[in-house]
Amino acid sequence: MLEENGTIYQIENQQKKGFASAEVFLGLGYKFENVFSANLVDVPFAKLIDNSDQAHSNGIFVIDQEGRVWYLEQGQRRPVPNPQTLFSYNLTFDQLIPANQADLNLPEGATLGFNSGSLINDQGTVWIVSENNKSSFDSAECFLSFGFNFAQLYIGSTEQLQTNKSACTPPPDNSLTYVKKTVSVNGTNFTVHLLTVDTQKVEFITDTAADNECSANCPGAPVKTYAEVHNARAAINGTYFCTASDSNCWTNTYSWKVFDTKLGRMINEADSFTRNEPFIAQMEDKSLRFFDHYSDYNTQQKIIAGINHQPLLVKNGQFAVDYNKLDRKQVNEKYSRGAIGFKGSTIYAMIGLNMTIPDSARVMQALGAEYALALDGGGTSALFFDGEYKIGPGRNTPNAIIFK
């Protein structure tokens, strides 16, 4: 559940459905403690939820008085056969919503299977599940080579699934990977959409929609378009920029320094406003460098890609957030947060869900980043990988980070 400007919304089919009253919200079994703030300005409205006796929305897991768990989807209630199946959707029993009579009046559908991407131990054989298919691992070495660990396994039957070829052939290419994962920090779990990139094997590109400095109404593009223009596998949104709702500056303008890889030149070089903020760049020899301030970078040094932004999150592997540079929302309110960091030749680019800026710094630190900067988040958040949005599409953005 997400809140914007005092109204609670449920997201369904990429539309937001508001609740007519607190009584309706509570009557459907939801809890205010599970509501998070979000920027939903670009999400279209759907029909208002005005009756606590109606069936719950698609995508909701409910539990009836006999302890049976159901998944609501396309006007049906699909039985959840065992706890392991529920757990594979990153849910526990205390997160279930009580079923109402309208839920139980829905026709019963097919039994729900494991969540795609789940790792299942079926009587000693480990399978990875994708929709109605399963693939096995030939050996423990093969399993571990994907970056998996045995603590991720669920125990259950995969008898009903179609067997595909082994997951071990061909060997995985881990030079550019995407994963949606849970990162635990000080006992709190955070969900992150993460790109991990070996920049010795993968091209690191920073790109701008405008080919020159732009003072007003600058062009922008979906993150997907940036990837497609470069024929790249992955892309993530770049810097913060002024939106149409910001009356203090021109739409789509920004002062951050972004090196346009395709042009081989820095955009906003002449703008002095962000010269004292951090800068991450890839040098001509492909090494990654961190600069405390953009002004520390010698423009005679040849680079391939680079982006200047704040707040600084991690420096020398340590939490580096300066609270004096954050506003109240950045410290206290939980939104989706973008970040980019690196250690050695490995870049970590993430969109983290329901985080403050300090949360995102601790998550980047936990991921192993030696240096990290925040990127834009909220309604701009977008991560594109292998032909589809993993999160987004978000707003059209005047710059982006691409991996090819």
Side-chain angles (χ1 to χ4, degrees), residues 189-253:
N189 291 331
F190 296 97
T191 299
V192 301
H193 295 262
L194 176 67
L195 294 172
T196 304
V197 187
D198 180 351
T199 56
Q200 295 298 305
K201 299 178 180 179
V202 176
E203 188 176 354
F204 173 29
I205 299 167
T206 42
D207 194 10
T208 60
D211 291 343
N212 294 287
E213 282 72 10
C214 180
S215 60
N217 296 317
C218 302
V223 165
K224 175 183 177 181
T225 299
Y226 285 97
E228 291 175 342
V229 165
H230 291 275
N231 192 28
R233 288 185 63 196
I236 190 171
N237 64 265
T239 68
Y240 174 79
F241 58 95
C242 291
T243 63
S245 62
D246 192 337
S247 60
N248 296 318
C249 53
W250 293 102
T251 300
N252 273 18
T253 55

Side-chain angles (χ1 to χ4, degrees), residues 120-162:
I120 311 299
N121 180 351
D122 185 354
Q123 300 184 43
T125 299
V126 176
W127 304 88
I128 185 167
V129 172
S130 176
E131 296 181 352
N132 296 318
N133 302 302
K134 61 181 180 180
S135 299
S136 64
F137 299 89
D138 295 339
S139 64
E141 291 76 17
C142 169
F143 176 82
L144 295 171
S145 72
F146 283 87
F148 298 139
N149 64 73
F150 292 107
Q152 295 173 280
L153 297 181
Y154 299 103
I155 297 174
S157 172
T158 61
E159 182 180 3
Q160 74 279 15
L161 301 179
Q162 179 72 36

Side-chain angles (χ1 to χ4, degrees), residues 70 73-79 102-110:
W70 306 90
E73 182 180 47
Q74 297 180 344
Q76 295 182 323
R77 54 187 174 99
R78 301 180 62 185
D103 297 329
L104 300 178
N105 288 340
L106 295 173
E108 184 172 332

Side-chain angles (χ1 to χ4, degrees), residues 75-392:
Q76 295 182 323
R77 54 187 174 99
R78 301 180 62 185
V80 180
N82 50 52
Q84 289 76 20
T85 300
L86 177 68
F87 300 155
S88 76
Y89 288 84
N90 295 318
L91 289 174
T92 55
F93 282 97
D94 60 356
Q95 295 173 288
L96 297 176
I97 303 298
N100 61 26
Q101 191 58 50
D103 297 329
L104 300 178
N105 288 340
L106 295 173
E108 184 172 332
T111 299
L112 186 69
F114 289 107
N115 193 10
S116 288
S118 299
L119 300 167
I120 311 299
N121 180 351
D122 185 354
Q123 300 184 43
T125 299
V126 176
W127 304 88
I128 185 167
V129 172
S130 176
E131 296 181 352
N132 296 318
N133 302 302
K134 61 181 180 180
S135 299
S136 64
F137 299 89
D138 295 339
S139 64
E141 291 76 17
C142 169
F143 176 82
L144 295 171
S145 72
F146 283 87
F148 298 139
N149 64 73
F150 292 107
Q152 295 173 280
L153 297 181
Y154 299 103
I155 297 174
S157 172
T158 61
E159 182 180 3
Q160 74 279 15
L161 301 179
Q162 179 72 36
T163 301
N164 281 345
K165 65 181 181 180
S166 168
C168 300
T169 53
D173 176 5
N174 292 322
S175 59
L176 172 56
T177 62
Y178 159 81
V179 65
K180 179 183 178 182
K181 64 184 296 184
T182 299
V183 178
S184 182
V185 178
N186 297 330
T188 301
N189 291 331
F190 296 97
T191 299
V192 301
H193 295 262
L194 176 67
L195 294 172
T196 304
V197 187
D198 180 351
T199 56
Q200 295 298 305
K201 299 178 180 179
V202 176
E203 188 176 354
F204 173 29
I205 299 167
T206 42
D207 194 10
T208 60
D211 291 343
N212 294 287
E213 282 72 10
C214 180
S215 60
N217 296 317
C218 302
V223 165
K224 175 183 177 181
T225 299
Y226 285 97
E228 291 175 342
V229 165
H230 291 275
N231 192 28
R233 288 185 63 196
I236 190 171
N237 64 265
T239 68
Y240 174 79
F241 58 95
C242 291
T243 63
S245 62
D246 192 337
S247 60
N248 296 318
C249 53
W250 293 102
T251 300
N252 273 18
T253 55
Y254 60 100
S255 295
W256 311 106
K257 313 296 181 285
V258 180
F259 187 81
D260 192 310
T261 300
K262 69 181 184 299
L263 300 177
R265 63 180 294 267
M266 194 74 68
I267 300 296
N268 293 338
E269 172 60 35
D271 193 322
S272 62
F273 185 67
T274 63
R275 295 186 67 82
N276 290 325
E277 304 299 348
F279 182 56
I280 285 177
Q282 185 178 40
M283 314 310 289
E284 192 175 35
D285 65 0
K286 290 194 173 184
S287 63
L288 297 172
R289 288 280 307 278
F290 168 80
F291 298 87
D292 280 303
H293 314 98
Y294 176 78
S295 57
D296 297 333
Y297 160 65
N298 181 346
T299 56
Q300 300 305 308
Q301 297 172 285
K302 292 186 177 182
I303 65 175
I304 299 170
I307 194 162
N308 154 240
H309 210 238
Q310 71 90 20
L312 176 63
L313 302 179
V314 180
K315 180 180 176 181
N316 294 322
Q318 301 300 310
F319 180 86
V321 172
D322 183 349
Y323 283 87
N324 293 320
K325 292 186 175 182
L326 303 185
D327 61 31
R328 180 187 61 82
K329 287 185 177 181
Q330 290 174 312
V331 174
N332 297 316
E333 297 189 9
K334 292 182 179 288
Y335 295 97
S336 55
R337 304 283 182 180
I340 183 171
F342 72 92
K343 181 177 183 180
S345 63
T346 300
I347 282 179
Y348 306 95
M350 79 155 190
I351 302 291
L353 306 185
N354 299 319
M355 294 182 182
T356 63
I357 286 293
D359 290 337
S360 66
R362 294 186 178 96
V363 167
M364 288 298 282
Q365 188 182 15
L367 290 171
E370 189 172 5
Y371 301 95
L373 307 178
L375 297 173
D376 201 2
T380 306
S381 300
L383 188 152
F384 183 81
F385 180 77
D386 276 359
E388 64 178 354
Y389 281 108
K390 299 300 183 180
I391 189 167

